[in-house]
Amino acid sequence: MQNFSYKNPTEILFGKGMIAELATRVPLKTPVLLLYGGGSIMRNGVYAQVKGALKKHHVVEFGGVEANPFFETCLKAVTLVKKERVKFILAVGGGSVLDAAKFIAAAALFKGRDLWAILEKHGENVTAALPVSTVLTLPATGSESNGNSVISRQATMEKRAFASPHVFPVFSVLDPTTTFSLPRKYVRNGIVDAFAHTMEQYLTYPSAAPLQDRLAESVLQTLIEVGPVTLAKPKNYEARATFMWSATLALNTLLGCGVPQDWATHMIGHELTAFYGLDHAETLAIVLPGVWQYKLPQKRAKLEQYGRRVWNVKTAKAAIAQTEKFFHALGMPTHLGDYGIDAAEAAEKVCARFVERGSAFGEHGDINAIAAATILRLRA
Ligand SMILES: [Fe+2]
């Protein structure tokens, strides 16, 4: 097992009716930014519940945060935060709203002039941030309980991530009933995203970390079990609750303690979203099997372990096939061609981006521009 430090400061407030907790937990004496997305919280009653809990608070609202939140939108929110002297940010929505809140929180206190530098330096230059808390309405990203954020820049079609211990939420409210009305596609995406997060920390090479392996496998098995149920029965509280908690555990930094991590699938996937507008999870379902195919010799031992323990199959190839079958059963395509995207063109574009940035990812740091292009060509 590798050395690690582990600290997750986010308090999780889980269950029915927990939004009411905002009344006592959000500071009363300072202006609070209420950040949200496209307005689904108006339709599903979450906005009314939040406003009800905050009726004694000084609330400044900013809505319209888009999926794959734009840097340009965040800048407008930063201006509002400074103008209104906001001291606390409450993000209500899915991972995109939460990610935007983290960026806004860091940007509001950032010393430099160029806020894009936060993304270019992956957050290493973030030394402080406004406190952020969240009400999660879409299980997927794990953003409710980690220090990660992904922001897209419209002007340059870039999608970049940053991480900082300063942007872990202070608390996050997870009420599974807020997910009852989610469109099917969002649920499918959330299952695949949580599955991929687990894999990025698990499917590498054996590293004498049996507990982390078993933890990861239990999250995978739970998602496989509960994913189809929550799609078939959207108002089944137990299934929604289990899915919601699984997505949090998939990326609250626990699974990654002391083990090598991959993340090549995410990094290649971000480029596909930037260039072609695919949903984040759609890119993962395409790229993940490709990374495994490309790295089959190095990943064979873990693929076989995963296959044996999770799917009861013997070979690495069968484990990959089972994974794709699972994605298909959720209604998730796994090839570029399914979206009418030319694999050769995608390979060329992503390759150029990786060359430009000198990027190399994966547990061996060998998923460079050439490797990324090869992986994408495998996914025609
Ligand atoms: Fe993700």
Side-chain angles (χ1 to χ4, degrees), residues 31-104:
V32 176
L33 181 73
L34 171 57
L35 190 75
Y36 53 90
S40 63
I41 63 163
M42 306 292 178
R43 296 186 293 276
N44 62 16
V46 172
Y47 177 83
Q49 282 188 65
V50 170
K51 289 288 278 193
L54 298 179
K55 54 179 181 285
K56 290 185 184 156
H57 292 71
H58 176 180
V59 177
V60 178
E61 294 191 28
F62 188 98
V65 175
E66 49 287 287
N68 302 304
F70 293 145
F71 176 67
E72 289 85 349
T73 304
C74 292
L75 294 188
K76 290 180 194 156
V78 173
T79 304
L80 181 67
V81 161
K82 290 186 173 167
K83 183 171 157 252
E84 300 288 339
R85 299 176 190 280
V86 163
K87 295 284 181 289
F88 189 93
I89 301 178
L90 181 69
V92 181
S96 294
V97 177
L98 275 50
D99 283 9
K102 291 173 179 180
F103 178 77
I104 294 160

Side-chain angles (χ1 to χ4, degrees), residues 326-345:
F326 171 59
F327 291 164
H328 294 160
L330 299 172
M332 177 64 90
T334 57
H335 289 271
L336 287 162
D338 297 327
Y339 300 95
I341 295 171
D342 179 59
E345 184 206 88

Side-chain angles (χ1 to χ4, degrees), residues 3 50 62 100 154 203 307 352:
N3 292 4
V50 170
F62 188 98
Q154 235 178 339
L203 212 294

Side-chain angles (χ1 to χ4, degrees), residues 14-27:
F14 194 98
K16 277 179 204 165
M18 292 299 261
I19 291 174
E21 290 284 315
L22 295 175
T24 54
R25 290 172 185 273
V26 173

Side-chain angles (χ1 to χ4, degrees), residues 193 197 266 280 284:
D193 195 20
H197 293 157
H266 268 72
H280 174 57
L284 304 176

Side-chain angles (χ1 to χ4, degrees), residues 140-141 150 192-194 196-197 200 251 263 266 270 280-281 284:
T141 67
V150 187
V192 171
D193 195 20
H197 293 157
E200 299 277 28
L251 197 47
W263 297 104
H266 268 72
H270 286 175
H280 174 57
L284 304 176

